[in-house]
Amino acid sequence: MGQLFKLAMFITSFIPLWATVIFIDTLNIIKHDVNLLTEYISILTIITLNILSILIILKSMSSIKASEYKPYKVIEVRQEKGITSEFLLSYVLPLFAFDFTLWSEVVQFLIYFIILAFLCVRNNNIYANLIFEINGYKFFDCELKWKPEQNVKTTQVIVISRNNISSQRGNTIEVASLNKPFHLMKDLKG
């Protein structure tokens, strides 16, 4: 999936903003304002992009075969706590300043959003995602060592897991690569 997976994660991380924009645009449509083209295009684009993004994320996660999970020893692990609220306050909240019912404001928003998307995807700065939060997944910044080869260097990855793996330091977990640096962890037994 390449960069498409990261872009899909980025787009869905803005679901609170998208829901608000759809609400504002729907209110304008109900009020029967004069020029509604911006609102219709906005709603259609938001819904389409989010559906495609969710499908890409689900396809990426479901396409992992059991044989793709590899054992790694956890050297260091740190849960990305509070990152969702920080992300909402830092990235999403300022975007409410744009008036999404005016073409000029939508263009200004798109310039800012495209630059932000480029930077976040390029720098793997995608930890906050409401879709994952709702489904019980957490993000962990981990240093892992491939179990079969003890002489190899450690690797820094972001592990997405339903299990709290903060207590797994020194233990072995099984992960499969979604897209560097993102890895999905096989659920712990027990």
Side-chain angles (χ1 to χ4, degrees):
M1 289 275 161
Q3 301 288 48
L4 210 52
F5 175 77
K6 292 181 200 175
L7 186 59
M9 288 198 38
F10 178 78
I11 289 169
T12 56
S13 67
F14 284 86
I15 284 178
L17 175 67
W18 305 139
T20 305
V21 172
I22 288 174
F23 175 74
I24 291 167
D25 287 345
T26 303
L27 283 179
N28 279 347
I29 291 170
I30 291 170
K31 289 179 185 176
H32 302 292
D33 281 347
V34 179
N35 186 1
L36 299 176
L37 185 62
T38 305
E39 286 81 352
Y40 286 122
I41 291 172
S42 177
I43 291 172
L44 182 65
T45 303
I46 290 169
I47 291 171
T48 303
L49 276 177
N50 277 282
I51 288 172
L52 287 174
S53 295
I54 290 169
L55 290 175
I56 289 167
I57 290 169
L58 293 176
K59 170 90 170 108
S60 296
M61 292 177 71
S62 66
S63 68
I64 296 175
K65 298 175 182 82
S67 62
E68 293 181 60
Y69 287 94
K70 304 294 181 207
Y72 285 86
K73 181 178 181 181
V74 179
I75 306 302
E76 290 293 328
V77 60
R78 181 178 54 89
Q79 183 178 351
E80 294 293 342
K81 290 184 178 180
I83 196 80
T84 303
S85 56
E86 290 174 18
F87 181 83
L88 289 172
L89 291 173
S90 303
Y91 293 97
V92 178
L93 192 59
L95 298 179
F96 287 109
F98 294 98
D99 183 352
F100 293 96
T101 62
L102 301 173
W103 274 108
S104 61
E105 294 274 332
V106 171
V107 171
Q108 290 173 27
F109 164 78
L110 287 174
I111 292 168
Y112 177 81
F113 189 75
I114 290 168
I115 291 169
L116 182 61
F118 171 76
L119 292 173
C120 286
V121 168
R122 183 168 187 242
N123 295 308
N124 299 318
N125 189 13
I126 308 167
Y127 299 102
N129 194 298
L130 204 55
I131 301 284
F132 283 95
E133 294 278 344
I134 289 170
N135 287 306
Y137 287 96
K138 295 173 182 59
F139 288 79
F140 297 88
D141 190 11
C142 295
E143 181 180 354
L144 303 176
K145 182 178 259 190
W146 193 39
K147 191 75 172 162
E149 297 286 331
Q150 289 299 314
N151 296 332
V152 297
K153 289 184 178 180
T154 61
T155 182
Q156 286 294 133
V157 298
I158 298 165
V159 175
I160 302 169
S161 175
R162 284 191 171 134
N163 302 110
N164 186 343
I165 61 171
S166 296
S167 63
Q168 295 299 316
R169 186 177 291 126
N171 294 331
T172 300
I173 60 172
E174 291 186 47
V175 297
S177 179
L178 281 167
N179 182 288
K180 288 185 179 179
F182 298 100
H183 288 65
L184 184 64
M185 188 180 113
K186 185 187 273 186
D187 286 339
L188 295 173
K189 308 281 189 277

